[in-house]
Amino acid sequence: MRAWTVDADDIRVAEDFDEALLHRTPEIDSFLNLERDDKFIVIGTKGFGKTLLLKAKRILYQRKTKALCLPTNTLLDKPIGDKVLGKEALAFLAASSLPWSKLWLTAIAAATLKQLEQTDGLKVNPRLARLISDTALRGVIDHFVRLLDFTPSDLHRAANDTDGHLVPRLRAISTPVAIFIDGVDEYFNKHIETVPSRASVAGELAPEIWHFAQLGLVEVAYQLRRINHHLKVFAAIRKEAYARLQTTVMGQQYRGSAVDIAYPIESLREIFVNNIRLEKADRMVRPERLKADPIEAFLGRTTITHVYTGVEEDAFDYVCRHTLLRPRDLMTIGERLAALRPDERRNEDRVKEAVNQAATEIAHEYLMEIAPYVGGLDLPGLLRRLPGHILARDEVQDLFSAVDPQHVFCALYSVGLLGHVQHDWIRGEAMQRFLRPGEGALQTEGVLPQATHYLVHPVLSDVIGRVNPAYPRRIDRVNVVGHGRPWLGAPPIDFAATSRVLCVLAADVLGFGELMRAGTDAPVRRALEEAVRTWAKDAVCAETGAGDAVLIIHPDPVALAATARHIVDDVYRVPGQPRLRVALHHGAVLTRRRESDGAAVVAGGEAVLSAVRAEPHVEPGQIWATEEFVAELARQPSLWRTTPVAGPGGENRFNIKKGTEADLWVRLYRLEF
């Protein structure tokens, strides 16, 4: 078995399995202990190694027991493809897990009795008899898939015959039989749609199918243990489905039969180290350190410096912080790092680049995985609006009112992509906390925990940065965001200022200095001030400065674009036809109340900086906007047209930084009506 194996499906036969890669927690040990048979369901979300653990159990069984293991030609019985159902079947199977229990019992009984050659003389209905006599059907899944094509009435008859004829024979078997089933969740993935019930090309879809198909298998596996201890069914089930069993009267018994895969940070470190040890010595940066410190040998360093805070972070902690704390994520990052030559891996920036690329891959995959649960929410809209990776509570409240994202925030929290600061009573200090995948209920409604600050998971950094260029520019210089890291307090904040996500207009008059020298600037000043008073009445705040500069803050992009056009026109009517350059942006704005009259005034913010920096690049007499403003404008009906503006040298971006500032790349669009 090679290092950094992401998918346990690569383990096809027992010889492919390397037990050294299987990290044994106490609960996993109890599951793999052949002297115990009380644990037979493996539960977990995607990426936690359910398939690997189930294959380990199968290999132990076939090596160390005399049990007949099913399936016989592969390690696990697993359906292939995606299953959808007709309306009649949907109505029957989406009501509860009971029909699924009957269906699984029939499939297991038929496959087991056929393998033991104990089907002679069975007196069952003709359709079930044909299923049992079909020699092409050998495994449980073979029979299960065919049973799904039965009509509800046929399934009723099959269930009755199973209870009356097949189950008595199951009670009598004396040969140990172990059945291993995986992948039921993937077979019904199409049913987890945002619409409760809708048609597909091939049939009908309903999310209840995905849940009940798995729950029925758990119920049958539990029941079979009680009727014959020689017959054992081991199955992998998604944690999201298994959670429903916890609310039933049998919830406690079912929970005692399951192993819930969860790895503390120390276990994840050991999993990472075990994979490093599978690499050849010539792939190490410092091979002489392989025995003493495998991570140092692999990366060539023990720490990685956080570029913004200067914190010297443990190298593995840096890697782990860019995962969702799943073994699969570590395999993804490890594979990226292993692809670098040792001399490349010696370079800290190359390590960071590889880790961040892998983190983006993890994020994209996870967002697709959770899409069925948050697909009805405007998640992309929220990501485009997030001002930064650390959000104060008032910023979250402002975003609530901006895009109705309350359920979006709750969904992000429940799936582990939004964390919060909480007081750790054990350590006596504030800590950062993210739920792990599967730890929270996958739902779009709920309540965010009370906190002073909320944290966006590091795996989303590049995903958000691509659609929201302002996001990576608001960097916390104090805290490194990550699960389990201490919260060192917020950076200095002007508490008199309020942060909101708004639209910004920045403009100035071209050649105003020459007008001043010629003594002809007064009409322009009056025209500009009058235009702002006339057209910016509904703005949050509107300011003119130095006679030729305008700054307007407004919540409505369409209204602000119209204001820009009117001001340009009014100023142009002044003798000499002076022309304004106008830049529009959308993002975080700080405002405060002026003590003298309580009026709102601008106190700063990323959106103000971006608009002011973009304005000098605008062609005189035109209105240009950033892609953030264009995206906000597109959310409302309007007749405004936007045309991309080519940057210097034909590039599609402008670097609007000033002087020695850090690069500030933006895409700009010309607005026309």
Side-chain angles (χ1 to χ4, degrees):
M1 186 173 172
R2 62 179 178 81
W4 317 115
T5 298
V6 175
D7 195 337
D9 284 339
D10 293 341
I11 305 169
R12 296 182 176 87
V13 294
E15 288 70 26
D16 293 335
F17 179 70
D18 187 342
E19 193 169 344
L21 290 182
L22 184 65
H23 180 75
R24 290 172 174 261
T25 64
E27 194 164 12
I28 288 175
D29 261 336
S30 69
F31 174 73
L32 295 177
N33 187 346
L34 296 179
E35 295 180 0
R36 295 184 58 177
D37 63 357
D38 56 328
K39 302 282 188 180
F40 48 89
I41 301 296
V42 179
I43 60 174
T45 58
K46 291 190 70 172
F48 274 85
K50 300 186 301 298
T51 298
L52 178 64
L53 187 54
L54 200 59
K55 287 187 174 181
K57 184 76 171 183
R58 160 68 190 252
I59 291 167
L60 282 173
Y61 247 83
Q62 68 185 39
R63 284 177 176 172
K64 298 185 178 182
T65 73
K66 296 180 180 180
L68 169 64
C69 293
L70 300 181
T72 57
N73 57 347
T74 186
L75 294 176
L76 305 180
D77 214 349
K78 186 174 182 177
I80 299 173
D82 297 290
K83 184 65 178 179
V84 292
L85 304 163
K87 288 185 178 180
E88 187 182 18
L90 184 73
F92 178 63
L93 294 172
S96 74
S97 61
L98 180 60
W100 291 97
S101 299
K102 299 294 186 180
L103 197 153
W104 279 114
L105 181 58
T106 301
I108 291 169
T112 302
L113 295 175
K114 285 169 75 170
Q115 287 291 337
L116 297 175
E117 299 181 349
Q118 295 183 18
T119 59
D120 292 343
L122 278 174
K123 295 180 180 180
V124 295
N125 71 82
R127 188 156 190 190
L128 181 57
R130 287 195 297 272
L131 186 78
I132 294 173
S133 63
D134 189 340
T135 57
L137 307 180
R138 304 297 296 170
V140 171
I141 295 299
D142 291 339
H143 295 82
F144 174 76
V145 169
R146 288 282 291 275
L147 284 166
L148 285 173
D149 292 329
F150 280 28
T151 65
S153 58
D154 285 336
L155 285 174
H156 273 303
R157 284 191 288 270
N160 289 334
D161 285 343
T162 298
D163 291 340
H165 301 280
L166 274 62
V167 170
R169 296 199 181 194
L170 286 182
R171 293 182 188 275
I173 65 173
S174 57
T175 302
V177 178
I179 301 170
F180 299 85
I181 300 174
D182 187 30
V184 178
D185 60 319
E186 295 176 2
Y187 191 53
F188 295 101
N189 264 345
K190 283 190 178 296
H191 288 269
I192 319 175
E193 297 289 336
T194 57
V195 180
S197 180
R198 70 180 185 82
S200 75
V201 174
E204 298 293 316
L205 300 173
E208 299 299 331
I209 296 296
W210 187 85
H211 289 88
F212 289 147
Q214 298 178 74
L215 300 186
L217 178 57
V218 174
E219 291 168 0
V220 168
Y222 183 83
Q223 292 163 7
L224 288 173
R225 293 301 179 98
R226 303 172 74 181
I227 68 170
N228 190 332
H229 69 277
H230 291 298
L231 180 58
K232 298 179 175 65
V233 176
F234 299 95
I237 301 296
R238 283 282 288 276
K239 190 170 184 176
E240 300 88 334
Y242 193 84
R244 289 204 177 188
L245 285 174
Q246 303 301 97
T247 61
T248 67
V249 294
M250 293 289 291
Q252 189 172 357
Q253 289 91 326
Y254 290 140
R255 180 64 188 87
S257 303
V259 52
D260 187 354
I261 307 177
Y263 296 104
I265 301 296
E266 296 76 14
S267 294
L268 294 175
R269 182 187 292 269
E270 186 171 335
I271 291 170
F272 194 73
V273 166
N274 286 342
N275 279 270
I276 290 175
R277 290 193 172 113
L278 288 180
E279 294 281 356
K280 295 180 179 178
D282 62 3
R283 298 295 300 162
M284 298 294 115
V285 176
R286 299 188 60 190
E288 74 279 4
R289 295 289 296 161
L290 187 55
K291 287 187 177 180
D293 190 338
I295 294 176
E296 182 184 0
F298 183 56
L299 298 177
R301 65 189 66 254
T302 58
T303 62
I304 291 179
T305 304
H306 191 271
V307 67
Y308 295 106
T309 65
V311 171
E312 290 285 332
E313 191 175 2
D314 175 84
F316 177 75
D317 287 348
Y318 176 82
V319 169
C320 200
R321 186 165 59 83
H322 288 82
T323 74
L324 296 167
L325 303 181
R326 303 180 300 182
R328 178 180 294 178
D329 301 341
L330 290 175
M331 299 304 100
T332 298
I333 291 180
E335 190 172 35
R336 285 268 189 174
L337 291 170
L340 299 176
R341 298 191 309 272
D343 61 309
E344 290 181 294
R345 219 178 302 129
R346 189 184 300 273
N347 185 305
E348 184 173 333
D349 288 340
R350 293 290 287 120
V351 170
K352 290 179 178 178
E353 181 181 333
V355 170
N356 281 273
Q357 286 174 347
T360 302
E361 180 182 332
I362 291 166
H364 280 299
E365 180 181 310
Y366 189 56
L367 287 172
M368 288 189 289
E369 181 183 328
I370 65 173
Y373 304 96
V374 300
L377 303 174
D378 186 15
L379 181 57
L382 175 64
L383 298 184
R384 285 195 296 268
R385 291 170 174 266
L386 288 176
H389 64 310
I390 296 178
L391 305 170
R393 186 168 184 83
D394 61 342
E395 290 181 301
V396 172
Q397 290 172 340
D398 285 339
L399 283 168
F400 276 176
S401 59
V403 290
D404 189 26
Q406 180 170 356
H407 295 331
V408 183
F409 274 112
C410 293
L412 285 178
Y413 171 74
S414 69
V415 299
L417 294 177
L418 184 73
H420 68 290
V421 176
Q422 70 171 22
H423 183 76
D424 188 319
W425 295 101
I426 303 298
R427 301 181 184 181
E429 58 182 343
M431 302 293 293
Q432 301 177 44
R433 161 87 160 129
F434 289 83
L435 295 182
R436 295 190 179 194
E439 187 176 350
L442 288 180
Q443 56 188 19
T444 59
E445 297 185 9
V447 178
L448 283 178
Q450 292 287 329
T452 58
H453 292 83
Y454 298 92
L455 318 164
V456 181
H457 201 291
V459 299
L460 290 177
S461 295
D462 192 58
V463 174
I464 300 175
R466 290 176 183 272
V467 298
N468 181 356
Y471 179 83
R473 295 200 289 267
R474 195 177 92 167
I475 301 299
D476 192 314
R477 303 282 177 174
V478 176
N479 293 282
V480 178
V481 173
H483 175 73
R485 292 196 62 83
W487 176 251
L488 304 178
I493 296 175
D494 181 357
F495 288 100
T498 300
S499 176
R500 297 174 61 187
V501 179
L502 297 165
C503 300
V504 179
L505 178 155
D508 78 347
V509 178
L510 180 68
F512 190 74
E514 296 177 6
L515 295 176
M516 292 179 65
R517 284 190 289 271
T520 59
D521 57 302
V524 179
R525 292 176 186 268
R526 288 194 296 271
L528 189 60
E529 291 172 358
E530 180 61 30
V532 170
R533 278 196 300 270
T534 302
W535 302 112
K537 291 179 180 179
D538 297 328
V540 173
C541 59
E543 303 175 0
T544 56
D548 71 327
V550 179
L551 190 63
I552 301 175
I553 312 299
H554 204 292
D556 187 339
V558 177
L560 189 59
T563 297
R565 187 187 62 176
H566 288 306
I567 294 175
V568 169
D569 289 344
D570 286 3
V571 172
Y572 188 71
R573 294 190 185 101
V574 174
Q577 298 179 327
R579 291 177 294 171
L580 277 175
R581 297 179 297 198
V582 181
L584 304 174
H585 184 61
H586 177 261
V589 179
L590 290 174
T591 60
R592 67 161 61 90
R593 292 293 173 182
R594 193 163 49 205
E595 292 185 7
S596 59
D597 58 4
V601 295
V602 176
E606 172 276 326
V608 175
L609 175 64
S610 295
V612 170
R613 290 290 184 264
E615 176 266 314
H617 297 266
V618 180
E619 290 290 334
Q622 296 185 11
I623 304 169
W624 289 9
T626 64
E627 62 182 328
E628 291 85 358
F629 184 90
V630 170
E632 185 65 14
L633 184 67
R635 294 170 61 86
Q636 300 185 29
S638 75
L639 295 175
W640 286 98
R641 301 186 304 276
T642 58
T643 305
V645 180
E651 295 287 335
N652 63 353
R653 296 189 302 168
F654 290 77
N655 189 351
I656 62 174
K657 73 171 184 176
K658 184 176 181 179
T660 58
E661 294 176 346
D663 288 343
L664 189 55
W665 292 95
V666 298
R667 289 183 172 86
L668 296 173
Y669 299 78
R670 185 171 63 253
L671 261 63
E672 298 171 315
F673 191 81

